[in-house]
């Protein structure tokens, strides 16, 4: 059922964790200052410093330090008046999304982070009410997909222009939030509140080749594959038991105690499907996890690694447009043509085991 309640009202009604609740020492230290800070430049410094070492994605770490040609467009929402006016927030997000795509078109960035900084979001207890707020925020950001729903994969279009014209690349969209700390969604923790992440690795590959970061496609692809694999299984940062909520079977016995039930190196395991924007069961579960039960029904064993490829795919393939850009006319450079889709918990290609 559609919820027409204003965003700020929904946020103010969110059940809250105790103020003594710990999100790990790294985030607790940031929370001492970030909610009082009004200067978005200083908030950007805080998040870049944290992300450069305290989150598992190698791409995110490098982009936070602007290394290897990686960077992101960071949108910060920390003004109470923006959260209190749905129409104003919608316009602000629309303008920021366009600003990101213009920078991506020019080859400046390959990712967009939309960062909502507010103590009521940071201390929001995981549950149905917080999930509704997440859905509303994502709907305001991606109105072409309205209404955003849980348990669905949403993707964004990121443009790039070179001498041949304009191409668009498919980007994954995920959410992160402070209270993910210690739960089965631990790898999605972030200080300060709530964040929407848009990341286009294929766009980065093209940008990096054009700017000379890599001498050829083969070297660029190998490096991106390695960074992708290195990101899996490293999410236990600040978890009291050092438990990541993704695992990759580098050998038949995974180094992080992965409950992988197959030996296919092309896939990895994790809680839920990595590409899903808002995993309903995880977002609504505030239980702290100290051990991994291999029988947990929310462990997915078929999250893919082999999508990092320059193989030509059909337009029906879910990874069409990821690493081989789709030529479009100038008028379509900022349009997102990619439809939402449902996840599958099973091997995507039965015969494809080459990662």
């Amino acid at each position: 059922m559609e919820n027409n309640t204003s965003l700020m009202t929904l946020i103010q009604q969110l059940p809250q964790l105790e103020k003594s609740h710990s999100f790990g020492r790294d985030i607790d230290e940031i929370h001492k200052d970030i909610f009082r800070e009004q200067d978005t430049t200083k908030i950007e410094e805080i998040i870049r410093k944290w992300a450069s070492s305290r989150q598992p994605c190698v791409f995110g770490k490098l982009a936070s330090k602007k290394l290897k040609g990686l960077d992101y467009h960071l949108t910060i929402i920390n003004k109470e008046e923006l959260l209190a006016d749905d129409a104003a927030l919608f316009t602000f997000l629309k303008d920021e999304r366009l600003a990101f795509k213009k920078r991506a078109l020019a080859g400046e960035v390959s990712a967009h982070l939309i960062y909502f900084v507010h103590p009521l979001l940071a201390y929001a207890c995981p549950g149905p009410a917080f999930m509704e707020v997440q859905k509303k925020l994502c709907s305001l950001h991606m109105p072409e997909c309205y209404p955003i729903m849980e348990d669905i994969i949403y993707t964004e279009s990121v443009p790039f222009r070179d001498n041949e014209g304009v191409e668009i690349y498919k980007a994954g969209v995920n959410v992160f939030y402070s209270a993910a700390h210690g739960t089965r969604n631990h790898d999605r923790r972030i200080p300060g509140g709530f964040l929407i992440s848009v990341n286009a690795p294929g766009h980065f590959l093209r940008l990096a080749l054009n700017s000379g970061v890599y001498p050829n496609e083969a070297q660029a692809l190998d490096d991106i594959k390695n960074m992708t694999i290195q990101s899996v299984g490293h999410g236990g940062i600040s978890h009291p038991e050092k438990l990541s909520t993704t695992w990759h079977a580098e050998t038949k016995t995974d180094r992080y105690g992965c409950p992988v039930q197959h030996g296919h190196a092309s896939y990895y395991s994790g809680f839920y499907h990595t590409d899903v924007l808002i995993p309903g069961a995880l977002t609504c579960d505030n239980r702290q996890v100290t051990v991994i039960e291999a029988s947990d029904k929310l462990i997915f064993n078929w999250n893919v690694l082999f999508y990092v490829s320059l193989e030509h795919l059909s337009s029906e393939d879910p990874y069409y447009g990821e690493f081989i850009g789709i030529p479009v006319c100038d008028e379509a450079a900022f349009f997102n043509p990619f439809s939402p889709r449902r996840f599958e918990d099973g091997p995507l290609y039965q015969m494809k085991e080459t990662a």
Side-chain angles (χ1 to χ4, degrees):
M1 181 179 294
E2 185 175 347
N3 191 333
N4 292 316
T5 307
S6 71
L7 174 63
M8 197 63 223
T9 299
L10 290 175
I11 292 174
Q12 289 170 341
Q13 293 174 349
L14 285 173
Q16 296 287 293
L17 298 166
E18 296 292 332
K19 290 304 178 185
S20 59
H21 181 86
S22 176
F23 302 95
R25 183 180 298 177
D26 57 333
I27 291 180
D28 290 346
E29 286 298 313
I30 290 174
H31 282 179
K32 291 177 182 178
D33 301 311
I34 197 169
F35 303 123
R36 295 194 299 268
E37 183 58 69
Q38 293 301 304
D39 186 338
T40 55
T41 301
K42 292 182 179 178
I43 292 175
E44 178 166 357
E45 291 174 359
I46 291 170
I47 192 62
R48 281 186 180 271
K49 182 179 180 181
W50 179 86
S52 67
S53 62
R54 307 302 293 178
Q55 56 90 45
C57 177
V58 175
F59 294 98
K61 288 178 178 177
L62 294 175
S64 293
K65 293 185 280 190
K66 301 183 182 182
L67 297 176
K68 287 197 173 184
L70 280 162
D71 196 7
Y72 46 71
H73 181 77
L74 179 61
T75 297
I76 296 171
I77 301 96
N78 69 327
K79 301 286 192 298
E80 192 84 15
E81 56 268 28
L82 265 183
L83 292 173
D85 187 333
D86 290 11
L89 179 57
F90 172 83
T91 300
F92 178 78
L93 293 174
K94 174 178 65 67
D95 292 345
E96 282 293 300
R97 190 179 183 191
L98 181 59
F100 156 64
K101 292 199 176 190
K102 286 181 176 179
R103 293 187 68 193
L105 184 69
E108 296 178 14
V109 294
S110 297
H112 187 193
L113 303 185
I114 305 93
Y115 188 28
F116 298 86
V117 181
H118 197 288
L120 291 178
L121 292 173
Y123 285 85
C125 184
F130 190 27
M131 184 172 69
E132 289 303 312
V133 168
Q134 293 189 20
K135 287 158 62 175
K136 193 173 185 77
L137 289 171
C138 291
S139 292
L140 287 168
H141 173 62
M142 301 182 73
E144 74 275 17
C145 298
Y146 179 87
I148 294 287
M149 297 182 289
E150 68 270 29
D151 304 319
I152 298 292
I153 297 169
Y154 296 90
T155 46
E156 170 69 292
S157 168
V158 182
F160 185 78
R161 185 194 297 278
D162 61 15
N163 294 333
E164 303 297 318
V166 178
E167 292 181 329
I168 57 171
Y169 291 83
K170 183 178 286 186
V173 187
N174 290 106
V175 300
F176 296 71
Y177 54 99
S178 303
H181 176 84
T183 72
R184 290 184 293 180
N185 222 12
H186 179 84
D187 291 13
R188 299 296 179 185
R189 66 196 289 271
I190 196 83
F194 176 74
L195 182 141
I196 303 169
S197 169
V198 179
N199 183 41
H203 181 279
F204 162 64
L205 182 146
R206 187 54 51 198
L207 181 159
L209 286 171
N210 275 38
S211 60
V213 174
Y214 298 104
N216 54 63
E217 284 186 340
Q219 187 171 330
L221 199 67
D222 283 345
D223 202 28
I224 291 172
K225 281 182 179 178
N226 287 335
M227 288 191 287
T228 302
I229 293 171
Q230 289 167 7
S231 299
V232 176
H234 286 178
I237 297 171
S238 288
H239 190 287
E241 305 298 330
K242 299 188 176 0
L243 290 179
S244 174
T245 53
T246 61
W247 315 273
H248 182 223
E250 292 183 335
T251 63
K252 291 193 176 180
T253 303
D254 184 78
R255 63 177 187 252
Y256 293 109
C258 170
V260 169
Q261 296 176 16
H262 57 72
H264 302 301
S266 296
Y267 299 94
Y268 68 94
S269 294
F271 277 112
Y272 221 81
H273 193 299
T274 304
D275 296 338
V276 167
L277 177 62
I278 301 174
L282 295 186
T283 307
C284 292
D285 187 359
N286 68 350
R287 291 176 297 174
Q288 298 290 291
V289 176
T290 56
V291 295
I292 303 298
E293 300 289 345
S295 60
D296 193 316
K297 293 182 179 178
L298 286 185
I299 291 176
F300 283 43
N301 288 294
W302 303 101
N303 291 317
V304 304
L305 286 169
F306 54 72
Y307 72 93
V308 184
S309 168
L310 292 174
E311 178 186 358
H312 286 268
L313 304 171
S314 74
S315 58
E316 288 76 32
D317 191 286
Y319 294 98
Y320 174 70
E322 288 267 359
F323 277 88
I324 297 181
I326 304 169
V328 298
C329 61
D330 283 12
E331 291 79 6
F334 304 135
F335 175 69
N336 179 19
F338 301 120
S339 300
R341 64 183 177 89
R342 293 197 175 275
F343 63 84
E344 295 180 29
D345 183 19
L348 188 61
Y349 307 120
Q350 294 288 346
M351 301 302 295
K352 191 173 181 66
E353 305 295 340
T354 59

